[in-house]
Amino acid sequence: QVPLVESGGGSVQAGGSLRLSCATSGDTHNPYCMGWFRQAPGKEREGVAAIATGAGSTYYADSVKGRFTISQDNAMNTVYLQMNALKPEDTGMYYCAADRSPRRCWYGGSSPVDYVTWGQGTQVTVSS
């Protein structure tokens, strides 16, 4: 059973919107933190948003603040990333990640090493 499954990626023009979904299953139910990361070709994986699932607190990278919204549907065991006003620089593979350890979910950013469980990724391409 795949622990995290992302969906919703695609190709859009600049200014468009996409909504990514990340469904949890099995041992990844009830994570403490969930995050969305992205990785462009030749670049490091960077955290773009995170949510502390218990409190519902949300966090964003400066580059996406005001454009992206992370949310959760506890009944569906799903986390979403609503992406509006997309820019070509938002292009990359987007991954969701989950971690059950009680800790800060954001500290001015988020590192991939903070997360244990990852999805397979979904591609987002924004053309100018």
Side-chain angles (χ1 to χ4, degrees), residues 13-111:
Q13 290 190 325
S17 298
L18 286 172
R19 188 176 82 155
L20 306 184
S21 299
C22 176
T24 67
S25 63
D27 289 343
T28 58
H29 283 338
N30 302 315
Y32 193 87
C33 301
M34 287 204 68
W36 283 98
F37 289 77
R38 68 185 179 193
Q39 188 165 19
K43 294 189 176 181
E44 294 185 352
R45 192 170 296 189
E46 63 171 346
V48 296
I51 185 166
T53 62
S57 303
T58 58
Y59 310 91
Y60 301 94
D62 288 344
S63 59
V64 306
K65 200 171 292 183
R67 300 187 298 122
F68 290 13
T69 302
I70 188 171
S71 62
Q72 61 182 344
D73 182 334
N74 291 332
M76 298 293 292
N77 294 310
T78 300
V79 171
Y80 302 97
L81 186 68
Q82 177 67 43
M83 305 186 296
N84 298 327
L86 282 161
K87 304 175 180 180
E89 51 263 43
D90 294 319
T91 294
M93 187 70 78
Y94 281 69
Y95 300 89
C96 71
D99 188 74
R100 302 183 74 177
S101 301
R103 59 171 177 83
R104 294 174 65 189
C105 298
W106 194 264
Y107 38 90
S110 183
S111 171

Side-chain angles (χ1 to χ4, degrees), residues 7-12 18 20 83 86 92 122-126:
S7 61
S11 297
V12 296
L18 286 172
L20 306 184
M83 305 186 296
L86 282 161
T122 184
Q123 178 67 36
V124 171
T125 302
V126 184

